[in-house]
Amino acid sequence: MLTVAVLISGTGSNLRALLEAASHPDYPARIVAVGADREAEGFAHAQHFGIPTFLVPYEQFESRAAWGEELSRQLAVWSPDLVVLSGLMRLLPSGVVAAHAPRLINTHPAFLPEFPGAHAVRDALAAGATQTGASVIVVDAGVDTGPVLAQERIAVVPGDTEHTLHERIKPVERRLLIDVVRDIAEGAIDLTAISAASRP
Ligand code: GAR
């Protein structure tokens, strides 16, 4: 059974979908802890499923590195096989990435490498894109630059706002995330091999 820690910042709707999937006896992964950089609304989903939470408030640390050290300490308590960034809106310090890579994945509301960063949905609309997408990637040292594990296209429709478009993207992200975590647990995705192959 693959053990998973999930890091969030916000509403945690993708987290909730993964919690629901993982609550089925046939699903080959279990969520062991949910962490956040702020008092995230999504903690309520973890509590609903009886999953422990931990808070590492970014603002209370003097540097990103110090925040990352505490985050690493908290993650180490659970020794997860996999860490999932599901709406964590902070760049992880390189030390945290190095400690978990390649068993560290991220969901992103765009068809990477298009529209990386914290405002992917807004950026797609601002660029006048007629389609965007959803991606699940391995986290590496860059910003949304790691190898793509799964992705799907989603059309931008006339009249879309950041909210309407994001709400259409999220269900696709959920499906991709649930499938990717299952594939990692079952060995159909080999993160070590994929990461090694992506290195120049
Ligand atoms: C998701 O769309 C996720 O991909 C995005 O935040 C949302 C979180 O939604 N993450 C990023 O943009 C990271 N760059 P949720 O809290 O409802 O799951």
Side-chain angles (χ1 to χ4, degrees):
M1 185 65 69
L2 187 87
T3 60
V4 181
V6 183
L7 300 178
I8 61 169
S9 292
T11 53
S13 62
N14 292 347
L15 161 70
R16 183 173 177 98
L18 192 58
L19 284 161
E20 278 167 4
S23 71
H24 290 117
D26 292 346
Y27 194 76
R30 289 287 170 269
I31 299 181
V32 292
V34 174
D37 62 325
R38 62 188 80 163
E39 277 291 355
E41 236 180 278
F43 272 160
H45 302 309
Q47 283 146 10
H48 176 82
F49 282 85
I51 306 298
T53 59
F54 61 89
L55 176 62
V56 187
Y58 185 83
E59 309 302 341
Q60 289 181 19
F61 290 83
E62 61 189 18
S63 65
R64 180 185 303 277
W67 172 73
E69 278 165 27
E70 180 55 24
L71 189 65
S72 286
R73 265 194 291 278
Q74 295 285 338
L75 284 169
V77 170
W78 304 100
S79 325
D81 299 321
L82 179 72
V83 178
V84 174
L85 310 186
S86 184
L88 180 76
M89 301 309 282
R90 299 268 174 210
L91 285 182
L92 283 181
S94 54
V96 180
V97 175
H100 293 277
R103 306 190 70 77
L104 177 60
I105 66 172
N106 182 34
T107 66
H108 187 76
F111 198 89
L112 289 168
E114 299 168 7
F115 309 116
H119 306 292
V121 182
R122 193 187 307 170
D123 292 346
L125 285 172
T130 55
Q131 52 178 3
T132 180
S135 305
V136 179
I137 63 167
V138 182
V139 177
D140 68 5
V143 178
D144 299 325
T145 51
V148 173
L149 299 172
Q151 62 185 172
E152 205 167 298
R153 281 287 185 193
I154 293 148
V156 179
V157 300
D160 254 338
T161 64
E162 187 175 352
H163 178 73
T164 60
L165 180 54
H166 204 167
E167 287 307 303
R168 273 208 324 288
I169 292 171
K170 281 187 185 184
V172 179
E173 280 188 76
R174 287 171 202 147
R175 178 163 43 75
L176 296 180
L177 178 63
I178 289 166
D179 287 350
V180 163
V181 171
R182 181 195 295 108
D183 285 350
I184 292 169
E186 294 179 343
I189 289 179
D190 180 343
L191 292 174
T192 305
I194 288 170
S195 294
S198 78
R199 275 186 222 115

